[in-house]
Amino acid sequence: MRLLLSSFPTVRSLFCITRRSEQCRTLSGVAMRLVQFHYNEDLEKNIRVGVEQGAGLDVVDLKAFDPSAPSTMKVLLELGDKGLEGAQRALNSGQCVVKRSSIKLLSPILAPEKVVCVGMNYRDHCLEQNVPIPKEPIIFSKFPSAITGPYDEILLPSESQEVDWEVELAFVIGRKGKHIKEEDALSYVAGFTVANDVSARDWQMKRNGKQWLLGKTFDSFCPLGPALVTTDAVTDPHKLGVRCLVNGDIVQDSSTDQMIFGLQKLVAWVSRFMTLSPGDVFLTGTPPGVGVFRSPPVFLKKGDIVECQIDQLGSIINKVV
């Protein structure tokens, strides 16, 4: 018999768990690939949370396994360890498996409170531009409305003629915190995903007072996915191959070992200024190979296919329309 209502506690019942010791390294100690999806035949496109049986494999539907399960990833993360442990039980049960072909994968996080971005965070990207290595993290943001799914289309805005690609490692915050110490920072990270920090270079570099926000936050300018890979499923986030392909040609090919400021530093730094909340998304910077610094510059056009790949996480593939 399936385990039902007792699998997933309420947020209220988890108050004490969110105040657990900061010495833990991760949220739950379980390795999973969490996804958000809706069924193809569901005309209302109701969001579900699931767990992949493996990269690119079929998905366990958490709400089919347990009707009390959250309907969104953000709420699942707000449940803390108990939420992730409930997802692990569903995966281990081998029940309520849905075929990949019967669902559409969505961004693993929708409507986060914050999308925190880091500029100039790869040594080789700084060398590409012939600019100094930053002394402190350069922080900017995208609006959450820019988020789109791992296989959704990138909408080419009529307002820009210089839309560019940026493959990035993204991570998602799993529990609330402020003034987080570097040595505790990874215990606040729920997992990792692949991002494309799509950028309108004309608006980023030439207009709007050279403030980056407008150039970074057009609709569909933040594809994420395909899964939220929990921290225990990634051997070392600072040693992952990172690639971007445009129409099958490799345009970016580097490693997260080129990051200037690692995950712990970024969490600690940003939490000095703002409270981090479950579901907050961090984009950690891009390596060299972006279109704007090519000679001559190259920008995306309608019909282009952009694929962003990160080792152990997977790939997202988005058509430009």
Side-chain angles (χ1 to χ4, degrees):
M1 176 181 289
R2 275 204 313 270
L3 181 65
L4 292 177
L5 298 173
S6 61
S7 294
F8 291 90
T10 65
V11 175
R12 183 185 299 273
S13 70
L14 287 165
F15 175 77
C16 60
I17 293 173
T18 62
R19 298 179 61 86
R20 63 183 294 181
S21 169
E22 309 245 304
Q23 300 307 311
C24 60
R25 293 289 294 168
T26 57
L27 277 171
S28 67
V30 293
M32 291 182 292
R33 298 178 59 88
L34 299 162
V35 296
Q36 286 191 140
F37 67 95
H38 67 70
Y39 286 98
N40 293 334
E41 72 273 11
D42 182 2
L43 298 180
E44 296 184 358
K45 299 183 178 180
N46 292 299
I47 299 172
R48 317 277 285 201
V49 181
V51 188
E52 287 185 319
Q53 292 188 306
L57 300 182
D58 294 338
V59 172
V60 176
D61 183 341
L62 297 190
K63 208 162 190 66
F65 176 76
D66 179 349
S68 72
S71 296
T72 70
M73 191 78 71
K74 185 177 177 182
V75 175
L76 180 76
L77 296 178
E78 288 170 349
L79 295 177
D81 286 347
K82 291 297 184 182
L84 296 179
E85 289 163 4
Q88 181 73 62
R89 284 193 292 273
L91 177 64
N92 291 343
S93 76
Q95 300 174 13
C96 304
V97 178
V98 296
K99 292 292 184 183
R100 189 79 166 218
S101 59
S102 69
I103 63 174
K104 176 184 178 180
L105 286 190
L106 309 173
S107 167
I109 286 287
L110 292 168
E113 187 178 285
K114 294 180 281 295
V115 180
V116 179
C117 305
V118 187
M120 312 289 292
N121 197 33
Y122 275 66
R123 293 176 184 86
D124 46 9
H125 186 44
C126 292
L127 292 174
E128 173 184 49
Q129 303 174 61
N130 194 29
V131 296
I133 301 295
K135 304 290 188 190
E136 297 174 337
I138 299 172
I139 303 299
F140 62 99
S141 67
K142 288 178 176 276
F143 289 132
S145 57
I147 291 175
T148 194
Y151 311 117
D152 290 342
E153 295 172 336
I154 295 171
L155 307 178
L156 204 62
S158 59
E159 292 82 4
S160 175
Q161 307 303 313
E162 298 182 358
V163 176
D164 204 349
W165 58 83
E166 289 191 10
V167 60
E168 305 206 9
L169 171 67
F171 65 86
V172 177
I173 295 298
R175 59 194 184 102
K176 191 172 184 177
K178 182 76 182 291
H179 295 296
I180 299 166
K181 298 177 182 178
E182 283 192 42
E183 57 266 32
D184 300 325
L186 283 183
S187 73
Y188 287 82
V189 176
F192 307 94
T193 195
V194 183
N196 186 352
D197 179 13
V198 184
S199 304
R201 301 302 189 190
D202 37 9
W203 283 93
Q204 178 190 0
M205 297 179 170
K206 304 171 187 176
R207 303 185 64 177
N208 195 43
K210 298 184 180 180
Q211 296 290 321
W212 291 4
L213 177 63
L214 287 184
K216 293 285 189 173
T217 204
F218 283 96
D219 291 348
S220 78
F221 270 27
C222 190
L224 293 175
L228 177 62
V229 182
T230 59
T231 52
D232 288 274
V234 177
T235 53
D236 185 347
H238 299 104
K239 293 183 180 179
L240 298 175
V242 178
R243 294 168 296 280
C244 179
L245 295 80
V246 177
N247 300 324
D249 296 325
I250 297 176
V251 292
Q252 292 181 279
D253 189 1
S254 187
S255 169
T256 56
D257 66 9
Q258 287 290 309
M259 284 199 297
I260 298 163
F261 304 105
L263 273 59
Q264 295 95 323
K265 176 67 175 181
L266 295 176
V267 170
W269 177 262
V270 173
S271 73
R272 291 172 57 181
F273 303 92
M274 64 195 79
T275 300
L276 301 182
S277 301
D280 286 351
V281 178
F282 277 64
L283 274 60
T284 60
T286 198
V290 295
V292 70
F293 296 124
R294 292 174 175 264
S295 184
V298 177
F299 299 109
L300 294 172
K301 62 186 183 302
K302 290 183 179 180
D304 285 345
I305 305 295
V306 185
E307 179 174 2
C308 295
Q309 307 171 344
I310 298 182
D311 293 350
Q312 302 181 38
L313 304 184
S315 65
I316 58 176
I317 303 173
N318 305 94
K319 183 178 181 179
V320 181
V321 300

